[in-house]
Amino acid sequence: MGKVQSCVSLAQGASVSCAKFAGMEPTRQAKLNELRQLGIDPFPTEPFFTNTTAADILRYYPQQKTDFKSVRLAGRLWRKRIMGKASFAVLRDESGDIQLYFQRDDFAERPELYDTVFKKLLDLGDIIGVEGFVFTTKTGEITVHVQRFRLLAKCLRPLPIEKETEEKTYAAFTDPELRYRMRYVDLIVHLGVRELFRRRTAIVQAIREFFNERGYLEVETPILQPIYGGAFARPFTTHHHALDMELYLRISNELYLKRLIVGGFTGVYEFSKDFRNEGIDRYHNPEFTQVELYVAYRDYLWMLELVENLLEQVVRQVLGTTRVRYGEYEIDWTAPYRRVRYYEALEEVVGQDVRKLSERELIGLLHAKGISLPEPPYERADLIARLFDKLVEPTLIQPTFVLDYPIELSPLAKVHRSDPTLTERFELIVAGKEIANAYSELNDPIDQRQRLEKQAALRAAGGLEAMPMDEDFLRALEYGMPPTAGLGLGIDRLTMLLTDAPSIQEVLLFPLLRPEKVSSKE
């Protein structure tokens, strides 16, 4: 059929313009109507309660056959092999695939259920519920002998179910943009994608358990903020009409969590969605997830040991090992991790102490290395940071703590106890990318005001990523914040590393994409 011939009749006889359903397959629309004519609701309201899954049957049936004399499971019809009075099919539920066996004699009271509904009107992708018992075929395959079935939802668009021949693979759903844009189809077709997101959830749960065992309190802080801060980033801006005020989506929850330390909590953490108005690439999405932790009466060296113990435990708990393949590398997450100092690591790669170079010499070095300049206005530390990001970070494959960052790059970190040009800060670099950032938090309100004033001056000069002044945060510090260690750990990048995902889009269920281009035919 070249185009839709008649409108689809919906539940209760409602009718909708054909143009709205132009993307659906005409053959499936015709089957939908035929099912209704047979008195079968393609989208029934009644629940269908299951008592097992495909995975449980395959796992436990060989040892406990008597437990599977009456099973109920539901999922998508994934394969059909019609063989006259008997047929085989495959059901795919949340846990995996299981073979089904249909026999015409089981439907003697209503033979049309087998001859017409199952054989002709059910399509691959339809959601069905089945009842029956489990047995093993002559070829040794565990199978559900279906005695009753019910259509639970008609699939009106063909799924890109992969079919392989010796020459070619047909309908493989592999285009990354299509997979991210239609994640629902990606999850249906690729069981491995489901497993990836189960692993992501397991990572979050393992981190939460680690913090809870130590008595830290999980909290929630505002996403809409009148003043953004806690990181170098451009914010997303919105407007609250009732209060007639400009608000920002948070770029970090750091300043609010520190307020809670001022208020008397000794350990708080939050899994937060943060938003930064930046570009999109393999390692960046404007909306991302991180966990931040703040513990009073601790410093960054204590936090360093906590982080390596945390990650070793999480990796072992989630994967059962501490050696994990990521691309061409095998990452060893066993603590302790390597430690290097910021300027020493840079000198090792560049061959000289960059602190002794003038701004002009630094710019010349960037040009010589083929590295673009950061956005102006910038300071010498910005030029040095660009050298570090491009020349040092990519060489750090195994988990490595980089310690003692320049004070200009760390406006919220405490001055180093032995060098006033540095701060007590570390970043954890794995496979060439930062996954964690931590400080001995700056709790001197006078020093903090001076640094934020400098940031405000950079912002006034056009620095789009400089931090604004936050008078309420400064007021909170004036009431006294104890010595505190703070941490930010990126959940998305950690998940990439523990699932061997090549891009951040792979580990986000719904990454941000450009608007979809729809053809005139669609």
Side-chain angles (χ1 to χ4, degrees):
M1 298 170 65
K3 59 180 181 180
V4 177
Q5 299 295 324
S6 62
C7 295
V8 179
S9 175
L10 301 182
Q12 289 92 38
S15 180
V16 176
S17 167
C18 301
K20 293 185 179 180
F21 294 91
M24 295 189 297
E25 186 184 60
T27 301
R28 295 194 178 214
Q29 295 182 56
K31 291 180 180 181
L32 182 80
N33 290 332
E34 191 171 344
L35 286 164
R36 285 202 168 100
Q37 290 169 8
L38 291 171
I40 297 174
D41 186 352
F43 305 101
T45 304
E46 298 81 5
F48 185 89
F49 295 102
T50 62
N51 60 13
T52 189
T53 65
D56 282 348
I57 292 173
L58 296 175
R59 183 184 300 118
Y60 299 118
Y61 174 72
Q63 293 80 29
Q64 304 176 25
K65 294 186 179 182
T66 56
D67 288 350
F68 296 96
K69 290 181 179 179
S70 180
V71 299
R72 292 169 59 90
L73 63 163
R76 290 187 183 271
L77 187 61
W78 202 245
R79 307 278 185 201
K80 266 203 316 185
R81 183 157 52 97
I82 306 298
M83 302 165 59
K85 293 184 178 181
S87 300
F88 286 94
V90 173
L91 181 85
R92 171 166 291 185
D93 68 6
E94 184 181 5
S95 68
D97 296 349
I98 187 78
Q99 180 169 272
L100 306 179
Y101 174 71
F102 291 79
Q103 192 175 65
R104 188 179 188 277
D105 293 345
D106 291 316
F107 304 95
E109 294 184 3
R110 293 190 63 187
E112 73 277 9
L113 288 177
Y114 179 80
D115 294 332
T116 302
V117 177
F118 174 73
K119 291 175 67 174
K120 299 177 181 180
L121 301 183
L122 290 190
D123 293 301
L124 302 188
D126 288 354
I127 300 174
I128 62 173
V130 301
E131 302 175 58
F133 61 90
V134 182
F135 74 105
T136 303
T137 65
K138 293 180 180 180
T139 60
E141 185 162 1
I142 297 173
T143 303
V144 176
H145 184 128
V146 178
Q147 297 170 303
R148 289 170 296 278
F149 73 92
R150 188 196 308 178
L151 176 62
L152 302 178
K154 185 69 179 166
C155 178
L156 297 176
R157 289 178 182 256
L159 288 170
I161 297 175
E162 189 172 304
K163 299 177 182 178
E164 294 184 3
T165 67
E166 292 183 359
E167 297 84 16
K168 190 176 181 181
T169 299
Y170 295 90
F173 193 61
T174 56
D175 180 79
E177 183 173 346
L178 280 178
R179 289 180 50 241
Y180 306 150
R181 193 177 298 283
M182 296 192 293
R183 183 67 87 182
Y184 39 89
V185 177
D186 190 32
L187 291 166
I188 292 169
V189 173
H190 299 124
L191 294 177
V193 175
R194 299 186 196 180
E195 184 55 37
L196 184 153
F197 286 101
R198 287 193 187 96
R199 185 172 294 179
R200 179 185 173 113
T201 297
I203 292 167
V204 171
Q205 290 175 341
I207 295 172
R208 179 175 279 116
E209 290 171 8
F210 184 92
F211 290 161
N212 288 346
E213 287 170 359
R214 285 154 180 78
Y216 307 142
L217 180 68
E218 184 171 6
V219 297
E220 294 179 345
T221 60
I223 293 175
L224 286 174
Q225 301 180 349
I227 300 175
Y228 63 92
F232 292 113
R234 296 173 63 178
F236 287 96
T237 306
T238 187
H239 187 80
H240 190 281
H241 294 286
L243 297 179
D244 190 24
M245 63 184 293
E246 194 171 61
L247 293 171
Y248 305 93
L249 295 180
R250 67 182 173 199
I251 61 174
S252 169
N253 50 349
E254 175 173 343
L255 303 189
Y256 281 91
L257 292 175
K258 287 181 181 178
R259 287 171 168 92
L260 298 180
I261 297 296
V262 171
F265 291 110
T266 56
V268 293
Y269 72 94
E270 180 179 13
F271 287 93
S272 63
K273 282 286 187 183
D274 293 331
F275 308 84
R276 297 180 184 176
N277 203 340
E278 59 188 11
I280 298 174
D281 59 30
R282 286 179 56 206
Y283 296 97
H284 296 86
N285 190 72
E287 176 184 351
F288 63 98
T289 304
Q290 64 174 337
V291 60
E292 292 201 31
L293 167 72
Y294 292 82
V295 182
Y297 312 111
R298 302 291 186 268
D299 67 0
Y300 80 134
L301 297 176
W302 173 89
M303 183 64 80
L304 182 148
E305 293 185 2
L306 180 107
V307 169
E308 61 188 2
N309 291 329
L310 163 70
L311 291 176
E312 179 180 0
Q313 179 172 315
V314 167
V315 175
R316 194 184 302 277
Q317 180 176 328
V318 173
L319 301 179
T321 179
T322 56
R323 293 183 176 272
V324 181
R325 174 64 56 180
Y326 181 71
E328 61 184 297
Y329 308 112
E330 183 180 73
I331 307 297
D332 186 356
W333 293 89
T334 307
Y337 303 154
R338 180 188 175 206
R339 294 146 167 78
V340 297
R341 299 189 183 281
Y342 184 90
Y343 279 117
E344 292 173 3
L346 189 54
E347 183 175 353
E348 185 177 334
V349 173
V350 175
Q352 55 185 319
D353 186 350
V354 296
R355 287 175 289 186
K356 298 179 180 179
L357 300 180
S358 65
E359 182 175 311
R360 178 176 294 182
E361 289 172 325
L362 286 171
I363 292 174
L365 182 57
L366 283 164
H367 286 314
K369 299 291 184 180
I371 302 171
S372 60
L373 295 176
E375 291 186 10
Y378 50 78
E379 300 179 325
R380 292 182 72 260
D382 296 323
L383 303 174
I384 292 171
R386 183 57 62 99
L387 285 169
F388 187 91
D389 293 346
K390 299 300 181 181
L391 299 180
V392 179
E393 278 194 7
T395 68
L396 304 178
I397 305 304
Q398 297 301 322
T400 302
F401 289 113
V402 178
L403 294 91
D404 305 341
Y405 278 68
I407 192 169
E408 297 87 349
L409 301 178
S410 313
L412 299 171
K414 208 161 193 174
V415 174
H416 198 281
R417 64 196 74 179
S418 60
D419 186 339
T421 68
L422 304 177
T423 56
E424 297 200 344
R425 171 188 175 189
F426 72 76
E427 287 189 359
L428 176 60
I429 312 296
V430 186
K433 289 297 175 183
E434 172 211 343
I435 67 165
N437 188 20
Y439 315 146
S440 293
E441 300 294 339
L442 178 55
N443 62 341
D444 179 345
I446 299 173
D447 187 359
Q448 183 66 86
R449 177 176 292 278
Q450 292 172 345
R451 294 204 221 172
L452 288 182
E453 285 174 348
K454 193 170 185 180
Q455 287 291 306
L458 287 172
R459 188 165 176 261
L464 298 177
E465 296 187 352
M467 295 184 199
M469 288 290 291
D470 188 336
E471 289 291 345
D472 180 71
F473 172 63
L474 292 169
R475 179 171 58 189
L477 289 186
E478 289 169 0
Y479 280 95
M481 185 176 83
T484 299
L487 165 73
L489 173 64
I491 299 299
D492 305 319
R493 288 187 181 177
L494 178 60
T495 304
M496 286 177 62
L497 291 166
L498 300 188
T499 59
D500 196 15
S503 71
I504 195 172
Q505 288 76 22
E506 288 285 345
V507 301
L508 301 175
L509 278 168
F510 301 103
L512 184 64
L513 301 170
R514 295 181 184 276
E516 185 175 6
K517 293 181 180 179
V518 181
S519 68
S520 57
K521 290 182 180 180
E522 183 72 14

